Amino acid sequence: MGRSKLKALKETTLNSFFELATKLKITSQFNYNAQSGIIYWNNGSEILLKDLYAYPADPNFDSLGSLEITGAFIDECNQITYKAWQIVKSRIRYKIKELGIEPKMLGTCNPAKNWVYSQFYLKDKNGTIGNDKKFIQALPKDNPHLPQSYLDSLLSLDDNSKQRLYFGNWEYDNDPAKLIDYEKIQNIFTNDFIEGGEKYISADIARYGSDKMVIMVWSGFKVIEVFTLAKSSITETAQAIRDLSHKHSVPLTNIIADEDGVGGGVVDILGCKGFVNNSKPLPEEGQIVQYQNLKTQCYFKLAKMIQDSQIYVNCRDGNVVDDMTKELEQVKRDKIDEDGKLKIIPKEKVKELIGRSPDYSDCMMMRMYFEFRVSFFTF
């Protein structure tokens, strides 16, 4: 029995379990060890409580590597990553063959525009969900045990929350700050009609930290290769970029890397263009633009191109697609009620929302620099 954070699991899901066990009068059939986080049943069965948060120190969930279970339940599964879901699923193996048990995994959540939407809701809606999955819609009013006061409180919420939590509307998203629609983000993985063009490389640099190193190779506005490395030195990163430039015949003048922090070392080694996030925005068609910085300008450009279906990402890795989708969903205006220069929500806020650095979207964003550079130098 898992959830994104063990603390939340114990404070919510576990309490619901105890409450129901009391109503069913089965509390004498098990003992709970709070220290080990295990519910021991009298018949020898066990329920393990697991923290499934995507901690930067364990991006591949190696902590679950030795886990052997017979079934799994994940509460609020929309709060965990798709990789966490897949890893737990791969651990359902204990005595399956001996007992003739069909492996099953249950996830519950409120509507959310992430991997649960794309893997379950949307596939069920389109009739492509497959025989190995099942989506069941359940609304608050379907539960006869909920008090009317609770239903009334849901109806009093803001439109977005009411549509999601009371009406179970997965499609409703009226955040005025967002720059890219979810459907448009999904389209970047199927826009194979986009033609290729001049080759570019953009790289988001990380060194022995929580962020991953991401390199994208572009043909025009087609991402033809996505290369990632969890931890890498400056020299390893520089060599990886150099290898990709040789493989795809990308000239040095068409390579850009994040120059902030340790990325400056990679730029020095390669002699490529360095991207400074907080530098001044570039003129557009000879006009000074009102963006907070170059990074904001490039994100607005990226958002418009995605909205206009002008970008294609040729990637079939489900984890990368999931991560990229989550990051692009967080491309939003910051302080939209204030006058002045256009801003996007800061990186630290995005990290809080998705639990990691937006490495893929940052890498895509830097590609936009070359569009302004062309405009700038031909003016």
Side-chain angles (χ1 to χ4, degrees):
M1 183 162 63
R3 192 161 174 164
S4 176
K5 288 294 185 71
L6 186 60
K7 184 175 184 291
L9 177 66
K10 291 181 176 179
E11 292 176 348
T12 56
T13 314
L14 184 61
N15 282 336
S16 297
F17 169 83
F18 289 146
E19 181 181 358
L20 185 59
T22 300
K23 290 181 178 179
L24 295 175
K25 299 180 181 180
I26 59 171
T27 54
S28 62
Q29 297 182 30
F30 64 85
N31 289 296
Y32 170 58
N33 187 314
Q35 185 173 359
S36 64
I38 300 177
I39 299 172
Y40 297 93
W41 292 82
N42 297 345
N43 66 359
S45 300
E46 299 176 359
I47 297 179
L48 314 178
L49 308 185
K50 287 296 179 180
D51 185 318
L52 300 176
Y53 184 75
Y55 291 100
D58 187 19
N60 296 316
F61 297 92
D62 293 330
S63 59
L64 301 177
S66 60
L67 187 66
E68 292 191 355
I69 54 178
T70 311
F73 161 55
I74 299 180
D75 197 11
E76 298 296 346
C77 60
N78 61 312
Q79 297 176 0
I80 70 169
T81 64
Y82 187 44
K83 174 174 280 189
W85 175 272
Q86 290 178 306
I87 293 296
V88 172
K89 183 179 179 181
S90 71
R91 301 300 182 253
I92 303 178
R93 54 191 178 181
Y94 183 68
K95 291 190 176 181
I96 294 295
K97 185 176 181 180
E98 297 92 319
L99 300 177
I101 297 175
E102 182 178 353
K104 290 186 179 180
M105 186 169 174
L106 170 68
T108 61
C109 69
N110 289 311
K113 285 287 191 68
N114 57 16
W115 66 269
V116 182
Y117 174 91
S118 59
Q119 293 294 323
F120 289 92
Y121 171 79
L122 197 58
K123 288 184 177 181
D124 181 74
K125 180 181 178 181
N126 297 335
T128 60
I129 195 168
N131 296 326
D132 63 329
K133 297 183 180 72
K134 184 68 177 178
F135 173 80
I136 301 174
Q137 179 88 325
L139 303 176
K141 55 188 177 182
D142 294 332
N143 186 348
H145 304 290
L146 288 179
Q148 185 61 42
S149 58
Y150 175 74
L151 298 177
D152 292 339
S153 68
L154 292 181
L155 286 171
S156 68
L157 296 173
D158 61 271
D159 279 348
N160 193 23
S161 299
K162 180 169 61 179
Q163 288 290 334
R164 289 177 53 252
L165 303 179
Y166 184 85
F167 294 106
N169 191 341
W170 288 73
E171 306 289 357
Y172 197 86
D173 186 358
N174 69 339
D175 187 348
K178 70 176 182 178
L179 296 179
I180 316 174
D181 294 332
Y182 180 85
E183 291 78 8
K184 294 295 185 179
I185 296 174
Q186 293 304 297
N187 285 345
I188 69 174
F189 306 108
T190 57
N191 289 339
D192 53 7
F193 53 82
I194 302 296
E195 296 183 357
E198 190 171 357
K199 299 286 187 65
Y200 296 91
I201 287 178
S202 57
D204 185 66
I205 310 300
R207 182 188 179 191
Y208 298 128
S210 58
D211 302 349
K212 64 170 68 70
M213 184 268 289
V214 176
I215 306 172
M216 293 184 180
V217 182
W218 301 73
S219 175
F221 292 108
K222 293 174 60 175
V223 177
I224 57 178
E225 183 169 349
V226 180
F227 182 88
T228 62
L229 201 59
K231 295 181 180 180
S232 57
S233 67
I234 291 175
T235 54
E236 289 172 333
T237 300
Q239 187 59 50
I241 295 174
R242 187 178 290 113
D243 291 343
L244 287 170
S245 71
H246 292 164
K247 175 182 176 182
H248 295 280
S249 302
V250 182
L252 186 62
T253 52
N254 286 10
I255 299 175
I256 190 166
D258 181 9
E259 194 172 2
D260 293 339
V262 297
V266 175
V267 172
D268 290 340
I269 292 173
L270 294 174
C272 65
K273 178 62 186 176
F275 188 94
V276 180
N277 290 282
N278 204 36
S279 59
K280 292 182 179 180
L282 297 173
E284 296 182 22
E285 299 180 354
Q287 302 296 317
I288 301 299
V289 290
Q290 295 299 309
Y291 295 105
Q292 182 184 27
N293 49 35
L294 179 61
K295 176 181 178 179
T296 301
Q297 180 184 26
C298 288
Y299 258 121
F300 268 82
K301 176 67 173 178
L302 174 65
K304 186 178 187 308
M305 294 200 70
I306 293 176
Q307 284 292 102
D308 293 342
S309 299
Q310 295 178 331
I311 289 180
Y312 173 50
V313 179
N314 186 9
C315 179
R316 297 295 177 265
D317 186 321
N319 293 321
V320 174
V321 170
D322 182 43
D323 286 348
M324 202 177 297
T325 299
K326 286 184 179 180
E327 294 173 19
L328 290 171
E329 280 196 290
Q330 299 307 321
V331 179
K332 299 178 181 180
R333 284 189 60 181
D334 190 28
K335 301 177 181 178
I336 61 175
D337 295 328
E338 295 183 3
D339 295 329
K341 295 182 178 180
L342 295 173
K343 304 175 182 178
I344 59 171
I345 60 174
K347 189 171 187 174
E348 293 306 315
K349 177 67 177 297
V350 176
K351 284 184 176 181
E352 292 177 7
L353 292 169
I354 65 175
R356 53 181 172 75
S357 177
D359 305 306
Y360 293 105
S361 62
D362 278 355
C363 193
M364 295 182 72
M365 171 272 298
M366 283 185 280
R367 163 66 179 87
M368 300 300 108
Y369 166 82
F370 292 104
E371 301 311 297
F372 297 119
R373 183 198 64 168
V374 172
S375 174
F376 177 72
F377 285 121
T378 56
F379 167 65

